[in-house]
Amino acid sequence: MTDARTATAAELDRFFREVVLCLGGIFATQDCADDLVWQAMKSLDRIYQRNRARLLEREAAGDNEPPTRRVEPHPAVEDVLSRIGR
């Protein structure tokens, strides 16, 4: 992996660690069903693994653009997404 990809992978790892710890803190202070916590963590793991694989695929294939996806998020999700990177 190139230095830029290594740095990107480290940032991806750092970001997902922070998200998992944030949710873990919320779950620890709230009365949540165990299966809800497992489902959330499995979903985050799938998202992490998919994004990590894409990062590695781009390294192997060069700097091709990732495929675009059509997504229609929930309005609450759109609200938070609109503030990321501002």
Side-chain angles (χ1 to χ4, degrees):
M1 207 184 281
T2 65
D3 289 341
R5 295 285 184 218
T6 302
T8 302
E11 279 301 306
L12 181 72
D13 294 347
R14 181 198 58 75
F15 172 76
F16 271 91
R17 245 184 233 104
E18 288 190 25
V19 169
V20 169
L21 289 171
C22 174
L23 287 173
I26 293 168
F27 291 144
T29 61
Q30 301 298 313
D31 186 21
C32 296
D34 192 49
D35 60 329
L36 173 69
V37 178
W38 278 106
Q39 182 179 5
M41 292 303 108
K42 286 177 185 178
S43 293
L44 280 173
D45 184 49
R46 281 192 299 272
I47 295 166
Y48 168 73
Q49 295 299 333
R50 183 174 58 238
N51 281 278
R52 181 80 168 176
R54 283 185 189 150
L55 177 64
L56 296 175
E57 286 170 12
R58 281 190 297 220
E59 173 69 13
D63 285 324
N64 296 334
E65 290 294 316
T68 58
R69 298 184 313 169
R70 294 182 64 176
V71 178
E72 295 180 25
H74 186 280
V77 174
E78 282 183 326
D79 182 55
V80 173
L81 289 174
S82 71
R83 288 181 273 166
I84 293 174
R86 279 201 226 166

